[in-house]
């Protein structure tokens, strides 16, 4: 049974996988809309592969809709509007066996496209969650899940969770940290050259 | 011997012809080694490692936040990173004084669905695709006329050319610059100075090459029509009411 996390909580994915083994995971993210102003509402998930210093290894280690694969191919964004993934809105696959050793964490933000210009925030988003599935999203077992409950009325982006290494284990932490500066702000904070 | 290492960088050719155009037919000789590949957007990248090696083989000119990158005949190409090509919006403005004349901005575009058409402010076409509730490209107004590209839909853009012209067909005193600005604040400028003349200038082209936008100063001018200018870049599938007015 999947571990349900609250904000700040963590779980060892390696231990949860147990005898199944843990080679790859699918990180699925979902959300609903509470209210809209009539404007198109566009949310995007992404992944930042960061080192011990908290910065991405390179700009190409920022995986998003415009850069679907990390350079070595260990992180793959499957794109918008996944079919067959249940209610998930976006899925990012991580081949844990090929994640570069220099990567200490993989951070998963969700951002509202041009949220500031359209006056859209996570206060208008409901039922947001992130779940980690062992293997493929279509047939893997859910190892962990975090349902976000924050009222982020001024945030246009939010880090839902992160995968991180702890000695020989892979762990997952529920983060729920909001940003008022959108995807660009999160990316910049993690050392991506937005210029 | 790996001859692929001798291939040119992945910058697009100056004037790309549509399949079947007379120019393309001339290129289709039996000598396949001379064939210049046309950049294809949304190309499936099956092996990211292979892509990375290919990218490392060439020096790619990049635009950074800070002093503007000025594209010239000697240095006509700059390639935006995937972040610059995918986050926020890309704005393009024709920055010039009133002394130039009644200069207007438009573009011919090709999107992933295969649709080719124009943003033509002088004719009331202000969104791409026309009538879309969520345009990929929009005309903008303000101090300077221009365009805005919605980069959340960056995968949908195959290529475009920006053209400037006089709506009345008058002689323009060409001056000023076409200014491209990334979401992060990097500036790319293309000078538009030349002798006074009536006609259509194409200062810039944009190609989506595997998720990176390649911007090229085209240095193209024709005394002819907008239809002539766009046809010179292979936009042959646009329907026209007349030489200056697209159907939609």
């Amino acid at each position: 049974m999947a571990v349900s996390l609250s904000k700040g909580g963590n779980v060892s994915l390696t231990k949860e996988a147990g005898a199944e083994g843990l080679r790859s995971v699918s990180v699925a993210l979902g959300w609903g809309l509470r209210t809209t102003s009539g404007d198109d509402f566009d949310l995007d998930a992404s992944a930042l592969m960061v080192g011990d210093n908290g910065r991405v290894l390179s700009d190409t280690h920022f995986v998003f809709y415009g850069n679907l694969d990390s350079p070595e191919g260990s992180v793959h964004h499957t794109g918008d509007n996944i079919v067959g993934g249940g209610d998930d809105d976006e899925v990012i696959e991580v081949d844990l066996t090929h994640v570069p050793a220099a990567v200490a964490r993989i951070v998963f933000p969700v951002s509202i496209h041009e949220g500031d210009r359209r006056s859209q925030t996570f206060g208008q988003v409901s039922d947001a969650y992130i779940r980690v599935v062992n293997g493929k999203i279509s047939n893997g077992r859910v190892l962990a899940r975090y349902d976000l409950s924050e009222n982020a009325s001024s945030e246009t982006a939010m880090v839902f969770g992160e995968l991180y290494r702890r000695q020989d284990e892979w762990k997952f932490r529920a983060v729920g940290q909001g940003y008022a500066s959108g995807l660009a702000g999160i990316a910049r904070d993690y050392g991506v050259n937005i210029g | 011997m790996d001859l692929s290492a001798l291939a040119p960088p992945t910058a697009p050719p100056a004037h790309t012809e549509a399949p079947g155009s007379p120019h393309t037919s001339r290129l289709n000789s039996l000598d396949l080694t001379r064939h210049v590949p046309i950049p294809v957007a949304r190309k499936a990248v099956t092996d990211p490692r292979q892509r990375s090696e290919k990218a490392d083989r060439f020096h790619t000119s990049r635009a950074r936040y800070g002093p503007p990158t000025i594209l010239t005949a000697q240095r006509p190409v700059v390639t935006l990173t995937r972040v610059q090509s995918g986050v926020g919006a890309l704005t393009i403005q024709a920055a010039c004084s009133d002394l130039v004349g009644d200069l207007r901005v438009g573009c011919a575009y090709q999107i992933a669905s295969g649709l080719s058409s124009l943003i033509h402010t002088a004719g009331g076409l202000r969104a791409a695709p026309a009538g879309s509730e969520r345009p990929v490209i929009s005309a903008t107004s303000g101090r300077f006329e221009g365009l805005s590209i919605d980069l959340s839909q960056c995968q949908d853009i195959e290529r475009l050319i920006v053209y400037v012209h006089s709506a009345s067909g008058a002689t323009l005193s060409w001056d000023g610059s076409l200014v491209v600005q990334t979401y992060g604040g990097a500036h790319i400028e293309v000078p538009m100075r030349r002798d006074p003349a009536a006609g259509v200038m194409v200062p810039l082209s944009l190609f989506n090459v595997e998720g990176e936008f390649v911007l090229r100063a085209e240095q193209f001018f024709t005394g002819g029509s907008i239809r002539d200018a766009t046809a010179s870049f292979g936009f042959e599938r646009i329907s026209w009411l007349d030489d200056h007015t697209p159907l939609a």
Side-chain angles (χ1 to χ4, degrees):
Chain A
M1 184 177 169
V3 174
S4 181
L5 296 169
S6 54
K7 183 173 181 175
N10 66 79
V11 61
S12 167
L13 299 175
T14 306
K15 287 177 181 164
E16 281 300 310
E20 292 175 20
L22 187 72
R23 296 184 59 79
S24 66
V25 293
S26 298
V27 178
L29 305 100
W31 48 78
L33 298 181
R34 184 177 290 133
T35 59
T36 67
S37 58
D39 287 336
D40 186 51
F41 211 103
D42 186 10
L43 287 94
D44 301 297
S46 52
L48 295 141
M49 303 169 72
V50 303
D52 284 326
N53 62 358
R55 299 172 70 84
V56 289
L57 298 195
S58 76
D59 288 353
T60 58
H61 290 88
F62 172 36
V63 177
F64 68 115
Y65 54 79
N67 179 38
L68 295 177
D69 293 284
S70 59
E72 75 299 321
S74 66
V75 176
H76 171 63
H77 192 308
T78 60
D80 282 332
N81 302 321
I82 302 304
V83 176
D87 294 329
D88 302 320
D89 286 281
E90 294 192 15
V91 177
I92 296 173
E93 297 172 344
V94 182
D95 180 350
L96 298 170
T97 63
H98 285 93
V99 174
V103 173
R105 292 185 289 150
I106 304 174
V107 180
F108 297 93
V110 173
S111 55
I112 303 172
H113 180 68
E114 295 202 297
D116 46 354
R117 190 179 67 80
R118 298 175 184 175
S119 300
Q120 297 171 335
T121 70
F122 269 88
Q124 296 163 267
V125 175
S126 64
D127 304 323
Y129 67 86
I130 179 170
R131 63 193 188 110
V132 183
V133 174
N134 194 1
K136 290 290 182 184
I137 194 73
S138 55
N139 56 10
R141 184 167 67 87
V142 181
L143 299 176
R145 180 181 174 111
Y146 167 43
D147 292 283
L148 286 79
S149 57
E150 289 71 25
N151 181 19
S153 57
S154 63
E155 282 85 351
T156 51
M158 184 168 283
V159 173
F160 279 28
E162 63 183 16
L163 298 173
Y164 64 102
R165 299 180 198 264
R166 183 68 73 212
Q167 294 161 348
D168 293 333
E169 294 182 12
W170 276 101
K171 302 184 77 171
F172 173 74
R173 178 183 293 121
V175 178
Q177 172 70 49
Y179 285 72
S181 47
L183 179 61
I186 288 183
R188 197 178 282 123
D189 279 4
Y190 282 96
V192 178
N193 178 20
I194 295 291
Chain B
M1 183 179 170
D2 182 11
L3 293 176
S4 63
L6 301 174
T10 53
H15 302 163
T16 303
E17 299 289 335
S21 70
H23 190 181
T24 304
S25 300
R26 284 200 303 276
L27 289 175
N28 287 342
S29 70
L30 292 175
D31 182 5
L32 296 177
T33 60
R34 291 178 180 273
H35 177 66
V36 179
I38 296 173
V40 178
R42 302 187 65 171
K43 185 179 175 183
V45 180
T46 52
D47 185 349
R49 282 161 289 196
Q50 192 179 21
R51 183 189 70 210
S52 175
E53 288 168 12
K54 206 184 292 181
D56 290 344
R57 203 175 290 159
F58 307 109
H59 172 71
T60 303
S61 178
R62 299 289 190 186
R64 302 288 183 200
Y65 178 81
T69 300
I70 299 174
L71 301 185
T72 62
Q74 291 73 38
R75 189 183 179 231
V77 176
V78 68
T79 303
L80 303 185
T81 66
R82 291 186 174 206
V83 175
Q84 291 172 322
S85 306
V87 174
L90 192 71
T91 61
I92 302 171
Q93 289 186 312
C96 55
S97 74
D98 293 341
L99 297 175
V100 171
D102 65 335
L103 183 137
R104 305 297 299 269
V105 180
C107 80
Y109 62 85
Q110 181 179 331
I111 58 178
S113 66
L115 173 70
S116 292
S117 189
L118 300 185
I119 295 270
H120 188 61
T121 51
L125 287 175
R126 301 187 61 85
S132 171
E133 291 184 358
R134 193 183 173 214
V136 179
I137 312 167
S138 305
T140 59
S141 52
R143 184 181 176 199
F144 304 121
E145 196 167 73
L147 304 162
S148 177
I149 302 174
D150 177 359
L151 296 180
S152 73
Q153 304 181 72
C154 59
Q155 304 97 325
D156 289 338
I157 296 172
E158 300 247 330
R159 65 183 180 118
L160 65 85
I161 58 166
V162 179
Y163 65 81
V164 288
H165 68 115
S166 160
S168 63
T171 294
L172 295 176
S173 302
W174 295 99
D175 208 341
S177 295
L178 193 76
V179 180
V180 181
Q181 184 174 351
T182 68
Y183 189 71
H187 282 78
I188 300 103
E189 296 180 5
V190 184
M192 297 192 295
R193 189 168 198 174
R194 60 169 290 122
D195 293 337
V200 180
M201 179 186 289
V202 177
L204 183 78
S205 68
L206 180 157
F207 281 75
N208 185 345
V209 181
E210 297 185 356
E212 293 187 334
F213 286 0
V214 179
L215 308 181
R216 182 183 177 94
E218 291 293 353
Q219 315 281 330
F220 179 91
F221 182 84
T222 175
S225 65
I226 293 169
R227 173 151 57 178
D228 294 335
T230 57
S232 296
F233 288 82
F235 288 93
E236 306 277 7
R237 297 179 185 171
I238 297 172
S239 299
W240 297 86
L241 292 174
D242 58 47
D243 277 354
H244 293 278
T245 315
L247 183 58

